[in-house]
Amino acid sequence: GKPAATGAGYAVSEHSDADTPAVGVHTRAPPVDASRQQHVAQVAPEPADSVPVVHARDVPPPPGSGPGAIQFEESAVMCEEAIGKVKLALVRTGGADGTLTVKYATRDGTAVAGVDYVACSGLVTFAPGEIRKEIAIEIVDDDQPEPDTTFVVELSAESSIVLASRNRSCSITILDDDSWQERMLRLQTQLRNALAHTLYSSTTWSDRLRDAIELSGGVDEETGEEIPPTTFDAVMHALSLFWKVQFALVPPETWLMGWPAFVVSLGFVGLWTAVVGEIASLFGCIVGLGDFVTALTLVALGTSLPDTFASKIAAENEPTADSSITNVTGSNSVNVFIGLGLPWLLASSYWALHGPSDAWAARYPDIAARMAPGTAQYVVIGGDLGFSVSVFFVACLVGVAIIFYRRIALGAELGGTRRAKWASAGALVTLWVMFIVTVCLKFSGVF
């Protein structure tokens, strides 16, 4: 009869024994011309009960074919950063007689040993008949988004005939998996903020005032349903009503991209900072504390506590300590640059425009004598800041040393075991107390 027509993906071969399929191919009887038995090599996968595929690289070379040569199975491999260890396969081709040994060693590319992967080197020995070996390279996983990096593993041997002519090196590309995690965290934050904006934001001042005055138990963030107020909610509402009404005077954040809300909020912060300063000054006068001690303790503590709570929230909600530590240093910078710079600018402008007064001339006679007639300056008498700045600098060095030690010992600036957290917190609070006590004693005349 006539052979079956060949289609795409099929090769027709004749075989004299229908019960003995050829090794390495899958067979079936075509439904044509039963007088001759034919076998068709199928490219598509067969069911599990069919003849298994035997790849050429898995078949040992016949005895006496020679020692062969060694190469990497793949010339390039990609792996994710969180894989732990990437495995590279070495194969022996062209023979399997005798024992062959090759050396392997890693080499930096854009990936750096000790930062992106663990450098290693060693020997791989193929015993007679062995055709495949694996080596493992450890990949360093971190939490920092970064570009994909690459390094190379190279083969070498005392005799070049041991190595195959190709795939003598393998390039490993480490795919960064932190950036998508960062994107997921950012997306989660954006969704949370959008939900909070939908549930809590108001577009008019009347809505804000009504929300501030009305007693409410809040809103369930998952369902959006209102929660009935409890007794504790009622007590807290009564205690915070003054502040709620005041904060309701801030323009809605949807106006002009939030700039009016930002400016008015900053004005309220400045106003209440001044009020806290005056109250602290009065309290210090009552209990007999000097202005310097009052400013260093009560005023500084009162204005820094909100920054402390903001840093705590940032540390709890961010995967790294960057936000919390940046908030502390940034807020202190704002306190110094704006808290000192803005009042000095206003005072300097006032005296430059207003000119001297009799009280000013009587208080600063030496400076008034050096000034041109009709001109005045804002005067700040320099005190002994060198001692306090020196103590503060030493405390800062110790604090930074503690943070660096935590990074080395614990791998994190914040958090860790309960003992480590309490020890670090206790050390930093002790530094603050020592600074306050030392400077206050100095300016009180004790030493």
Side-chain angles (χ1 to χ4, degrees):
K2 296 181 179 180
T6 59
Y10 294 88
V12 181
S13 62
E14 296 186 0
H15 199 277
S16 59
D17 188 357
D19 297 329
T20 308
V23 175
V25 298
H26 298 295
T27 61
R28 69 173 184 175
V32 292
D33 200 355
S35 61
R36 297 182 62 186
Q37 297 183 4
Q38 300 172 339
H39 297 278
V40 182
Q42 185 178 0
V43 177
E46 287 286 345
D49 56 354
S50 61
V51 179
V53 175
V54 181
H55 298 285
R57 67 173 181 268
D58 296 329
V59 180
S65 56
I70 298 174
Q71 66 182 40
F72 282 109
E73 188 175 39
E74 303 288 345
S75 61
V77 173
M78 293 187 296
C79 65
E80 291 187 350
E81 189 179 51
I83 193 174
K85 291 184 178 181
V86 58
K87 294 183 178 181
L88 307 179
L90 281 73
V91 294
R92 186 178 188 177
T93 60
D97 294 343
T99 300
L100 292 183
T101 300
V102 294
K103 301 177 182 179
Y104 70 91
T106 56
R107 176 173 57 83
D108 286 353
T110 55
V112 179
V115 177
D116 301 301
Y117 71 98
V118 177
C120 64
S121 60
L123 300 176
V124 179
T125 300
F126 285 77
E130 287 186 328
I131 61 171
R132 196 173 192 274
K133 290 277 192 176
E134 285 186 346
I135 60 175
I137 311 295
E138 184 175 352
I139 305 299
V140 177
D141 186 16
D142 55 34
D143 297 328
Q144 300 299 322
E146 56 191 347
D148 297 340
T149 55
T150 303
F151 69 98
V152 179
V153 182
E154 297 176 325
L155 296 179
S156 62
E158 295 181 357
S159 175
S160 60
I161 62 174
V162 176
L163 300 178
S165 58
R166 63 187 185 93
N167 291 0
R168 293 190 176 188
S169 64
C170 180
S171 174
I172 296 93
T173 300
I174 305 175
L175 303 177
D176 178 52
D177 55 3
D178 297 315
S179 56
W180 73 265
Q181 294 177 0
E182 188 72 20
R183 290 195 294 268
M184 291 299 294
L185 291 174
R186 191 181 302 114
L187 178 61
Q188 182 181 7
T189 302
Q190 292 174 350
L191 290 175
R192 187 186 300 113
N193 293 338
L195 180 60
H197 182 271
T198 303
L199 297 177
Y200 298 112
S201 64
S202 302
T203 57
T204 63
W205 259 315
S206 60
D207 292 337
R208 301 178 74 93
L209 288 172
R210 183 182 65 252
D211 294 340
I213 296 173
E214 289 181 351
L215 173 62
S216 173
V219 179
D220 191 330
E221 294 185 357
E222 296 183 357
T223 63
E225 299 179 354
E226 293 189 1
I227 302 175
T230 62
T231 303
F232 178 77
D233 293 331
V235 173
M236 294 303 298
H237 176 72
L239 294 176
S240 60
L241 181 61
F242 170 75
W243 302 103
K244 287 183 176 181
V245 173
Q246 183 179 197
F247 294 152
L249 300 178
V250 177
E253 63 276 7
T254 55
W255 292 5
L256 299 178
M257 300 178 65
W259 281 103
F262 173 76
V263 173
V264 175
S265 299
L266 193 61
F268 273 114
V269 171
L271 173 63
W272 282 106
T273 301
V275 171
V276 169
E278 290 298 323
I279 294 176
S281 180
L282 291 175
F283 178 78
C285 182
I286 293 173
V287 299
L289 294 177
D291 290 340
F292 179 83
V293 177
T294 302
L296 195 62
T297 55
L298 301 179
V299 176
L301 187 62
T303 56
S304 298
L305 279 178
D307 299 331
T308 304
F309 293 136
S311 296
K312 178 179 181 296
I313 295 174
E316 292 174 345
N317 293 281
E318 294 294 330
T320 65
D322 295 342
S323 299
S324 56
I325 294 181
T326 302
N327 176 71
V328 172
T329 54
S331 62
N332 288 330
S333 300
V334 170
N335 291 341
V336 174
F337 298 146
I338 295 182
L340 291 179
L342 187 60
W344 285 8
L345 175 63
L346 296 177
S348 300
S349 302
Y350 170 81
W351 286 108
L353 297 174
H354 183 270
S357 63
D358 295 338
W360 179 86
R363 186 171 184 178
Y364 308 110
D366 296 338
I367 299 177
R370 298 196 303 266
M371 299 294 297
T375 61
Q377 289 180 341
Y378 174 57
V379 180
V380 178
I381 303 298
D384 187 14
L385 290 179
F387 178 81
S388 58
V389 171
S390 300
V391 176
F392 179 77
F393 180 73
V394 173
C396 287
L397 289 180
V398 177
V400 172
I402 292 175
I403 292 177
F404 272 99
Y405 175 76
R406 286 180 54 87
R407 176 182 294 182
I408 297 173
L410 304 177
E413 285 82 359
L414 300 178
T417 62
R418 179 178 295 272
R419 178 179 298 179
K421 289 189 291 186
W422 281 102
S424 302
L428 296 176
V429 171
T430 302
L431 289 176
W432 176 73
V433 173
M434 291 175 61
F435 169 74
I436 295 296
V437 171
T438 304
V439 175
C440 289
L441 292 178
K442 171 65 176 179
F443 281 85
S444 298
V446 176
F447 60 88

